[in-house]
Amino acid sequence: MSPADPDNPNEAARLTQELIDEGYTKRQVAKMLGRDASLVSQFFSKGKGASMVGALRQVVRRCAAASAIPRRCPVSPGRT
């Protein structure tokens, strides 16, 4: 697969970036998805992650809700 276009990220990279912007690391995102951190990095570098979009949407929703109610997100920002 060709490298991802940084100016036009795929949906998995865009959703992951939302979580990163909220303070989560790629490693934490991977843990929430039950995947290896190298796969999450490939969302950005190789355009992978289409099969993870549904799960990422759920994680984004849960973590958005967690900002109102602490401890609902499986991994808190700033913790690995």
Side-chain angles (χ1 to χ4, degrees):
M1 178 174 251
S2 62
D5 178 2
D7 296 325
N8 190 20
N10 66 27
E11 185 70 358
R14 189 190 66 73
L15 291 165
T16 301
Q17 189 60 51
E18 282 186 39
L19 293 166
I20 291 169
D21 292 346
E22 290 298 318
Y24 296 92
T25 65
K26 288 180 186 177
R27 182 171 299 222
Q28 290 172 318
V29 173
K31 186 174 180 179
M32 288 185 271
L33 294 172
R35 298 290 190 253
D36 189 81
S38 64
L39 174 64
V40 174
S41 291
Q42 290 178 15
F43 297 170
F44 297 91
S45 64
K46 297 188 178 196
K48 293 188 175 188
S51 65
M52 303 303 301
V53 170
L56 279 162
R57 286 182 179 144
Q58 289 178 357
V59 169
V60 168
R61 279 194 300 269
R62 287 181 66 192
C63 291
S67 65
I69 304 169
R71 298 185 185 259
R72 291 205 49 208
C73 197
V75 178
S76 299
R79 304 181 101 192
T80 55

